[in-house]
Amino acid sequence: MWSQFKPIVTGDDYVESLRGRNLTVYLFGEQIKEPVDHPMIWPSINALKATYDLATDEPELASATSHLNGEKVNRFLHIPHSAQDLVMKNRMQRKLGQITGTCFQRCAGLDSISVMHSITYDIDQAHGTEYHPRFIRFLERLQKHNQIIAAGMTDPKGDRSKAPHEQADQDLFMRITDRNENGVFVSGAKAHMTGGLNSHWMMVLPTMRLSEHDKDFAIIGVVPLQAEGLTYIYGRQSCDTRAMEAGDVDKGNAQYAGQEVLAVFDNVFIPWEHIFMDGEYEFAAPMVERFTSYHRASYVCKTGLGDVMVGAAATIAEYNGLEKVSHIRDKLVEMTHLNETIYSSSIASAHESKPLPSGAWINDSMLANVCKHNVTRFPYEISRLAQDLAGGLMVTLPSQQDFESEETGALLDKYFKGREDIPTADRVKILRLIENMTLGRNAVGYLTESMHGAGSPQAQRIQILRGMNVDQKKWHAKKLAGIQQVD
Amino acid sequence: MWSQFKPIVTGDDYVESLRGRNLTVYLFGEQIKEPVDHPMIWPSINALKATYDLATDEPELASATSHLNGEKVNRFLHIPHSAQDLVMKNRMQRKLGQITGTCFQRCAGLDSISVMHSITYDIDQAHGTEYHPRFIRFLERLQKHNQIIAAGMTDPKGDRSKAPHEQADQDLFMRITDRNENGVFVSGAKAHMTGGLNSHWMMVLPTMRLSEHDKDFAIIGVVPLQAEGLTYIYGRQSCDTRAMEAGDVDKGNAQYAGQEVLAVFDNVFIPWEHIFMDGEYEFAAPMVERFTSYHRASYVCKTGLGDVMVGAAATIAEYNGLEKVSHIRDKLVEMTHLNETIYSSSIASAHESKPLPSGAWINDSMLANVCKHNVTRFPYEISRLAQDLAGGLMVTLPSQQDFESEETGALLDKYFKGREDIPTADRVKILRLIENMTLGRNAVGYLTESMHGAGSPQAQRIQILRGMNVDQKKWHAKKLAGIQQVD
Amino acid sequence: MWSQFKPIVTGDDYVESLRGRNLTVYLFGEQIKEPVDHPMIWPSINALKATYDLATDEPELASATSHLNGEKVNRFLHIPHSAQDLVMKNRMQRKLGQITGTCFQRCAGLDSISVMHSITYDIDQAHGTEYHPRFIRFLERLQKHNQIIAAGMTDPKGDRSKAPHEQADQDLFMRITDRNENGVFVSGAKAHMTGGLNSHWMMVLPTMRLSEHDKDFAIIGVVPLQAEGLTYIYGRQSCDTRAMEAGDVDKGNAQYAGQEVLAVFDNVFIPWEHIFMDGEYEFAAPMVERFTSYHRASYVCKTGLGDVMVGAAATIAEYNGLEKVSHIRDKLVEMTHLNETIYSSSIASAHESKPLPSGAWINDSMLANVCKHNVTRFPYEISRLAQDLAGGLMVTLPSQQDFESEETGALLDKYFKGREDIPTADRVKILRLIENMTLGRNAVGYLTESMHGAGSPQAQRIQILRGMNVDQKKWHAKKLAGIQQVD
Amino acid sequence: MWSQFKPIVTGDDYVESLRGRNLTVYLFGEQIKEPVDHPMIWPSINALKATYDLATDEPELASATSHLNGEKVNRFLHIPHSAQDLVMKNRMQRKLGQITGTCFQRCAGLDSISVMHSITYDIDQAHGTEYHPRFIRFLERLQKHNQIIAAGMTDPKGDRSKAPHEQADQDLFMRITDRNENGVFVSGAKAHMTGGLNSHWMMVLPTMRLSEHDKDFAIIGVVPLQAEGLTYIYGRQSCDTRAMEAGDVDKGNAQYAGQEVLAVFDNVFIPWEHIFMDGEYEFAAPMVERFTSYHRASYVCKTGLGDVMVGAAATIAEYNGLEKVSHIRDKLVEMTHLNETIYSSSIASAHESKPLPSGAWINDSMLANVCKHNVTRFPYEISRLAQDLAGGLMVTLPSQQDFESEETGALLDKYFKGREDIPTADRVKILRLIENMTLGRNAVGYLTESMHGAGSPQAQRIQILRGMNVDQKKWHAKKLAGIQQVD
């Protein structure tokens, strides 16, 4: 696998590296020959390409110095070794949100290697295993080849009231089906695989706390996407087929989009060198909890999308000649205030990070959860305000074809004219972008993924409850109230 | 025109009545031969059909006794002559929202004939004209033929800092271009014409306050949709082309949808018998204000859609086996609370209605504005909560074709199984409905139209400011504060 | 008791009627001789006086025609016999809120006689008892004497996980301790008795659902306030002692205030003629539920206080010369919008009321709960916005004595001057009113009582859950999603 | 002045240092001999004492190493010279909020010396003056004597539409009235002086941008509190006189309170050594803007009060036996989430601070404004939720005297009992604390001061508007929409 590709340098190298893998991919009931060439898939690849391009364009932001060998690596392959590393990661994520206006699909992979750095270390300490050095070897190669790793975490889960080993169908959580001297075989499926198809490797990890009886489900390993036994089924998104229409206007954001796939594993083999947990079930819970500390802060990316929303709303106000109207300015301020509130929780959780025994640093858990919890709310309000500023035209505009047709083009140009000096076409384009982000393809990433990615709202509330240190708060209250207490 | 069609009795009659009109309609850059047969247009027609079917199924709700002749007429053709009439109208609207889950496109027409009843009366009183009896004759025939009238209100407006007569292009507000002994000719365009194509008649009305210099723009009249000189251009909606895909599942709501068109008038003729204002510019402002009192309360329809949202959210919770979980129940309660809050403002504005000199009753303006203003907020929050309960699967589900394909169907069935006793297909269907209403085709009606229909939020705030009677409030405050004041 | 007083006609009569009753009242650890003359109690009496004065000043609003004998009675003694009765009641409540800026303490009494009309009727139907005619006789005399009845509902409850009969101390719910041929004796306490001391009669009612084992707690009866065995302990309120300071300014609202007392019953006797439930425990639950339908809509009074808040905020803006500033106007509009939203839920629940078998009409339960639930939220936001407009001066102003002192008066006048034409004293007075309603004595009524009166927020949520008809909503959702279901 | 006092070491030293100053202080129309001994003033002194005690108890948190001489100084006297300094300052502020439950009144002074470090430096650079070294000399002595400096910033302002030099009464902004070879004389007043009376020094600074015509108002200097010509008038607070009642319970928080005074200057002399701006009007605007960057982040203290609110709400839930009830836990989580959201904006603005030319570091302006703007909202919602959990008893409880009286004590104990094992008195105490913080004396600090301190909400919105970089946001939006633009 490693020898198959030469190290990736540019964004174009990356795109080329995805070709010819003969993945088994289904979309609209048919097998896709070459995903790279599919008009609906391409924008999602292009979003990942931006993570390479940014490393070239702004290396101080999007690359880092590997702690393994001191070489420059893409920041998405860099294990954070300081608060500043996590701060820079967050800034890079916001920037990529601004550049792509969508989910660029590379954060879960970064967060999974970050968490594996400390978890393999801790397992080794507890069990005398050799996972950590094995993981480091893998990481070195990954950095050297500059490849993308995706995280496969979410099992289908079936009946939610039952543990993995209690499920009628044991495949509803990924599990070891067989093992030999070279490695293990796994079956199951990983859902909601963000950017799954656009990666080179996939790490599979348990999705939740496991008990002794779930030992066969306590498997963490890495497989190449083209591993035998893997089938991918592509997820639909709102307005996805506009990507296959002629013309770019109605797409709203023609260049960039997200991607979600279901990956089905049918006895897929993982060699020992790619296995980082094998039965140590008690580390599933801390692994998940640390992953969420990293990943919930990663939702800072939505502030980049929020910047685009604010910019789009300000642009349509400008095009309508209303930018100085007080209630419009006030709404732009409100959008910005909410967006920066999200940013502050994320960046605070990075600054307040702490080192783990392995040397990797991890975001402050409370603030990361607070960040994500705000992300389940504020993008919806920002989106509502953007629709307010957009006006109803956003959802009554005719198609690009009508704007360009001989019969109707001139009529539309005449009647959808706003300010004299602004081409009608530009007004339409900015409205289509707002549609794209609030109802269309990238609303999936800006809204629904903001709700459920890295855990649904209730998951954050549980973490906040656990971390809120209510006893200390009660102590202070009782003290001030004059209630006697044993200190 | 009247003679052209026999009176409509059933919903099927209605659908038939739309055929063969040779309207000039453009969609995706091409002329549509027969809109009734177009798969993307048909669901919007079907939504209007529901207004006929309900009159048959629940006549006490969806029909009324005409004040003109005591005959039963569809409630959408009935001028409200009591508070109870307005209450019944609101209840019918909620019911139709529940039945269709979309905009059924008939309210603006009803509200335009309601307002014309009193406005024509008042113009006649002021000017000695004969608009009111003329309008009554038109209404009698409309009721007798049981046809649909749409409201064409929103002019393109061009440069918003200029009055109609000041626009560089005089067509940016509809205006009289010529007149002869039989009537007048008008040119211009009407945007955001909800259900425009699915109606038999269109009433054109000024969109805002007019001054003496705008006399040529002070025209109210009625034209049949097939009038010469009329061109229609169809508006796009999120996910609209799913209507043209095979299979019903991914449509979310395969039966019903809204419709928005741009209607362009090129010297369209209106005979005297269909003209209800001709130059009486000073009645434009009260006409618009009364229209909003009716129409902002009409947004009670969104509580019907809200009922569907609550029902869909409760259903997916049930399918996930989580219906009794406290945070889930709490979210269903919150959705219901918000939905009923909207309902209460609307129904209150109906109960608190007052008669006008013509005998028509009109909703309380403050409460109607409060209703609509809540509609610009709460559906967004209800929608956010529905997405919370839906889970991320809503935006990562593969296509119906994949579910039905030989290669992937069984895999999807296996891995997307929730509760044992619920078919995977049903889970998918209810998620697609939530997608449809929060991101897809009917999100246009449930969200963006809730924001901008009947006036954007700021328009309601201006009305609330005007009606809030701040002097009386200040009087009470000063009295209680012990400040001397001249009573 | 009846013979003791002559029928009350004017507000002054009412105040006189309270004198000389020798009630056992404690406040600040001391017994109060004559509550009417106590400066801290007097404003609460004056608030109730307003209910008499309004009946004189605006009889169509604050009086009604008794259904018993066709005579004019104070509306607070009138059993609603139509939707219009309930509508007029709500309008009167808003008006009294505007007039007093506080809780005028008479609603719970009205709502308790309203509910007893139907409950006594229903018990008689079920048990062949004679409670209804007995209640009617009492009501006739009450109306004739134009006296005030208070509702004593809230028992202390003790350990909330236990039923009344399971409590270690049986007095924690009011209960029958003894009975003889003339009546029964009760012991226990009623907490949060709004205006308890300012009434002539108190009705005691169970506070919640009772079971067969709680038969001794199933007592409803009426006692005069001066009944033997009754002790009253006065509740404190924020800033209550300002009422005892010299000068009116710092009081904020010197004329009106609320009142809460704890009434302790030590074997208080109730004669048969005043007993309306004696052991029919199964009617406790419907009694409570009906009471909340009436009483949660009664919280419309807070819109009257909201009007005062809006007026006070507009006045301070005027005094600061900022009334036309856009963000200030916008906040006044928001306050009004929220206030009218509350109003609409209440008035809608009145219009949508229904008759009960006894002939009494009752508010729509869902809308009444929605009203009250909004009352637990919006007054807090209105109050927050009022503090925004008030400015920080509201909480840094020196005392009235400093404003009037020779040493400091001129300095304060000089430095707290705002607009040239507005006396500094008036600025101070309006700020003290806002303090009074958002932090001070009447904040108790405007905020905390809005939260907990007529049931805490969770109580409304439970009612909304029960009434939301989720099955019908699910049916519509499934229908639209294309899910097969047995209709 | 310096020689008058020996350096302060302990909190007790501090209290002693305030005695015998013969300040001219008025309260309730009378002159106060010794404020330290006044029961209403003492708790505010005690709150400042906590800033000394904490420096002893947790020196790493509440002291710092002076950049002037490397000695340990109280952190409130330390000019931040790194991001970490600002972070530690924020942590100390939260801690002091937890300890005191009120405003500890020392932040504005710290923020004023912080801003003077860079402003004096910048003036010297621009004008060749010697303010910076002069300021450093003052600071050295202040640190050495460990004294408190208060900030006098807010001028009365009079007619807000006029500049200082345009006011009818020139004293409405502090101004130079005379000057001699030793210094200048100033007249005017400083309002809302938080902790003004409890400090040793007061720095006066302009309150807003000044123009060339306002040169006489461009004065920054330091005076001792006992300077000749100074008169103080004490501001009232909700429930302030409870401090003078017997017993501690009804006070809610008997130990700690805030303080606001009006300081009137009548030709007060400032010697040159204490003058840090004299006419350099163009530095007034940047001084104010930098001050707000520091001071708006200082509102992190409210998260300490928020911790107390959460703790108090959790305690009453515990005392009611309801701590595990899901809606109660959910409300505690919501309160915590909001509180930590505020914390994250503040701490982020500290971490993202930058150095100024003088070497002092300053908070990120956008995030500091976002922090303060959240502070104008979330404490109100936290307070609302605390009242929800408290129950209505909070505002109907009798006085401490009634609880302790022979006649009523036993009755109250019996009837206000909750959980068996919790003394009624403890239940009462925690409720009085919640009353104190949501309606009473410390609600002034937790709510109204959160609204207006460091600038009212609109002031933050203006700063957010200025800093939001809308052009960059528009650039990204246009880029993604495919709109051509000149980069």
Side-chain angles (χ1 to χ4, degrees), chain C residues 314-456:
Chain C
T315 301
I316 188 64
E318 174 201 336
Y319 287 180
N320 289 338
L322 302 171
E323 213 174 1
K324 310 251 147 148
V325 172
S326 66
H327 81 90
I328 300 226
R329 285 169 77 147
D330 201 58
K331 284 163 188 166
L332 292 171
V333 166
E334 183 66 18
M335 293 165 80
T336 303
H337 169 66
L338 296 174
N339 203 42
E340 298 293 342
T341 296
I342 294 173
Y343 185 65
S344 65
S345 327
S346 165
I347 209 79
S349 85
H351 279 296
E352 298 271 309
S353 58
K354 294 278 177 306
L356 292 164
S358 77
W361 282 54
I362 189 163
N363 294 71
D364 180 81
S365 168
M366 171 61 81
L367 297 175
N369 275 285
V370 163
C371 168
K372 175 68 214 312
H373 206 52
N374 282 326
V375 169
T376 68
R377 299 175 174 185
F378 295 163
Y380 286 85
E381 177 64 4
I382 292 170
S383 165
R384 191 184 75 86
L385 290 168
Q387 289 200 358
D388 184 347
L389 298 197
L393 195 54
M394 185 189 99
V395 293
T396 67
L397 278 175
S399 69
Q400 181 176 2
Q401 288 77 1
D402 292 309
F403 275 94
E404 293 171 354
S405 119
E406 272 184 39
E407 285 87 359
T408 53
L411 287 177
L412 293 175
D413 222 49
K414 170 187 174 85
Y415 285 117
F416 287 137
K417 190 85 192 167
R419 257 175 57 191
E420 195 74 25
D421 55 332
I422 303 294
T424 302
D426 286 358
R427 243 184 125 204
V428 173
K429 284 174 181 171
I430 203 75
L431 289 173
R432 286 287 176 220
L433 176 64
I434 300 177
E435 183 198 34
N436 171 275
M437 296 185 77
T438 64
L439 293 176
R441 195 166 182 195
N442 287 327
V444 169
Y446 189 51
L447 301 178
T448 324
E449 186 186 306
S450 288
M451 180 66 80
H452 292 291
S456 301

Side-chain angles (χ1 to χ4, degrees), chain B residues 15 62 85 138 165 172 177 190-191 301 316 364 374 386-387 401 412 442 452 472:
Chain B
V15 176
D85 274 350
F138 170 75
H165 73 277
L172 287 168
T177 49
K190 291 294 181 179
C301 65
I316 188 65
D364 179 81
N374 282 327
Q387 289 199 358
Q401 288 78 2
L412 293 176
N442 287 328
H452 292 291
Q472 186 222 6

Side-chain angles (χ1 to χ4, degrees), chain A residues 391-399 403 412 416 431-432 435, chain B residues 191-194 233-237 259-262 444 448-449:
Chain A
L393 195 54
M394 185 189 98
V395 292
T396 67
L397 277 175
S399 69
F403 275 94
L412 293 175
F416 286 137
L431 289 173
R432 286 288 177 219
E435 183 198 33
Chain B
H192 316 318
M193 283 229 26
T194 303
I233 309 173
Y234 211 89
R236 294 208 70 170
Q237 298 178 310
Q259 175 187 81
E260 302 286 342
V261 297
L262 175 78
V444 169
T448 324
E449 187 186 308

Side-chain angles (χ1 to χ4, degrees), chain D residues 40-53:
Chain D
M40 203 173 108
I41 300 178
W42 175 81
S44 75
I45 293 170
N46 202 39
L48 265 163
K49 176 172 177 290
T51 68
Y52 286 93
D53 291 340

Side-chain angles (χ1 to χ4, degrees), chain D residues 168-210:
Chain D
D169 180 346
Q170 293 276 303
D171 293 344
L172 288 168
F173 286 80
M174 182 158 294
R175 68 191 174 102
I176 298 169
T177 51
D178 202 1
R179 55 176 72 224
N180 64 25
E181 51 186 9
N182 298 318
V184 306
F185 294 83
V186 297
S187 281
K190 291 295 180 178
H192 315 319
M193 283 229 27
T194 303
L197 223 56
N198 303 340
S199 309
H200 305 92
W201 298 91
M202 190 193 315
M203 186 184 289
V204 294
L205 312 95
T207 198
M208 61 178 207
R209 172 183 303 275
L210 299 174

Side-chain angles (χ1 to χ4, degrees), chain C residues 79-121:
Chain C
I79 306 298
H81 271 70
S82 67
Q84 191 59 16
D85 273 350
L86 287 163
V87 167
M88 291 306 287
K89 171 193 158 192
N90 280 181
R91 286 187 187 147
M92 171 186 68
Q93 289 168 317
R94 182 171 187 167
K95 186 73 185 175
L96 281 164
Q98 293 172 339
I99 289 171
T100 63
T102 190
C103 171
F104 39 89
Q105 314 150 42
R106 210 172 163 178
C107 302
L110 167 55
D111 295 334
S112 70
I113 57 173
S114 297
V115 77
M116 287 322 294
H117 191 273
S118 66
I119 285 289
T120 52
Y121 184 90

